Amino acid sequence: MTDHLIENRRFWDAYAPEWVERGEAAWLAETPYWGIWATPESQLQLIPERLVGRSVVELGCGTGYVSRWFEQRGAQVTGVDLSNQQLVTAKGFARRFESEITFILGNAEATALPKHCADIVVSEYGAAIWCDPYQWIPEAARLLVPGGRLIFLGHSPWAMVCTDDEGDAVSNAMRRSYFDLHRMDWTRAPIDPGGIEFNLPLSKWFTLFRAQGFRVDDYQEIQAPAVRSPDRFSTSWEWARSYPSEQVFKLTKV
Ligand SMILES: C[S@@+](CC[C@H](N)C(=O)[O-])C[C@H]1O[C@@H](n2cnc3c(N)ncnc32)[C@H](O)[C@@H]1O
């Protein structure tokens, strides 16, 4: 395993207990919501209405609530995650809520799933930020049938430029090179140490999508809601009212 896989598995196995409560709330939610600002599904429209008979793969499923929301619309869902501890939580919820989601321990950059097994691949802060885009976007392309859709949400490159490897909060200063964005290592951050994450400048995301045979159907930049909210994961509400802290891609494999 490469170092980011080892570090991120260690990080998420240790962090998993802190995600149980959040996961439970999302499994219980009457309507889906996304990302750090809990942006409603009605605004982002990430989940297609008709999913009966459709096969969905979630890459980096964590506690499994996104998989659950797709299952509730009729899809057959497989969730893949690198952390055994996160999957213990996800499987516990699946038992409790009588879900038939299949949860698999694995690396979203190279799953053991067969080619063309998915009509939809989805990620919310899973592969979307924890996997190397040059590995997981080709893997998503391999999993999808022609005409299949890749839908994912994670940090915007703006937020990544406005923080650095020290682990400080996102600020109004440009703290790292936009054009060099790729791998961000917070394992030795003096403030709030984390794992190893990834992002790209927008032009490189678009080049990668084209190279892997994706058409971009939509790109959304998420603004924090108008109602004042506490800081979320090192991002202040004030900052995220002025700049996009999160991004959404909706793609089709042509
Ligand atoms: C923020 S959580 C998952 C998001 C999910 N929506 C949730 O909040 O429960 C990120 C997840 O990505 C997983 N992850 C990190 N690297 C991964 C990889 N290479 N393959 C699969 N999962 C990975 C972590 O184990 C973690 O469970």
Side-chain angles (χ1 to χ4, degrees):
M1 283 208 293
T2 55
D3 65 338
H4 71 272
L5 300 176
I6 294 166
E7 284 295 341
N8 289 341
R9 174 171 284 172
R10 184 195 53 72
F11 175 76
W12 275 103
D13 277 343
Y15 198 20
E18 290 181 44
W19 283 71
V20 175
E21 199 175 316
R22 171 190 308 270
E24 181 183 45
W27 271 78
L28 287 166
E30 282 185 13
T31 52
Y33 52 85
W34 299 94
I36 63 174
W37 307 107
T39 307
E41 165 63 10
S42 56
Q43 183 180 327
L44 297 182
Q45 300 189 355
L46 302 190
I47 312 179
E49 277 299 327
R50 278 193 295 279
L51 288 174
V52 175
R54 299 287 172 178
S55 162
V56 173
V57 173
E58 184 182 2
L59 294 177
C61 62
T63 58
Y65 57 81
V66 169
S67 289
R68 174 60 165 176
W69 296 335
F70 278 78
E71 180 185 49
Q72 284 175 323
R73 296 215 181 161
Q76 285 187 310
V77 188
T78 302
V80 178
D81 203 280
L82 188 65
S83 159
N84 197 41
Q85 292 311 309
Q86 285 281 79
L87 290 182
V88 167
T89 306
K91 287 175 185 173
F93 288 139
R95 274 194 300 278
R96 178 171 150 199
F97 297 111
E98 298 179 358
S99 159
E100 292 183 4
I101 299 165
T102 303
F103 288 111
I104 296 175
L105 182 66
N107 170 19
E109 296 174 350
T111 71
L113 295 170
K115 183 178 176 182
H116 293 174
C117 67
D119 297 299
I120 296 174
V121 171
V122 62
S123 175
E124 183 215 30
Y125 281 102
I129 67 163
W130 295 97
C131 291
D132 186 336
Y134 293 107
Q135 303 294 326
W136 85 268
I137 296 292
E139 176 63 1
R142 188 186 72 81
L143 295 176
L144 283 165
V145 294
R149 304 192 61 204
L150 171 60
I151 300 161
F152 68 96
L153 180 151
H155 300 300
S156 106
W158 282 76
M160 296 299 96
V161 165
C162 293
T163 183
D164 60 23
D165 291 347
E166 298 293 296
D168 265 328
V170 172
S171 75
N172 283 3
M174 301 286 189
R175 312 261 300 263
R176 68 171 100 229
S177 159
Y178 177 78
F179 288 117
D180 291 334
L181 268 187
H182 183 208
R183 181 183 188 277
M184 287 147 291
D185 186 341
W186 280 296
T187 53
R188 277 170 289 279
I191 309 159
D192 195 17
I196 297 172
E197 298 185 26
F198 295 86
N199 213 316
L200 292 175
L202 279 177
S203 53
K204 290 188 181 172
W205 278 117
F206 284 97
T207 301
L208 176 58
F209 297 148
R210 269 197 305 277
Q212 293 302 320
F214 284 109
R215 180 186 74 216
V216 178
D217 298 321
D218 198 12
Y219 175 72
Q220 290 163 284
E221 295 173 309
I222 298 180
Q223 184 180 26
V227 177
R228 178 173 285 277
S229 142
D231 295 0
R232 304 284 168 88
F233 301 97
S234 307
T235 305
S236 71
W237 175 82
E238 286 85 354
W239 191 91
R241 282 298 291 166
S242 296
Y243 307 102
S245 56
E246 298 178 301
Q247 64 184 1
V248 173
F249 287 106
K250 297 180 189 172
L251 313 166
T252 297
K253 180 85 171 75
V254 289

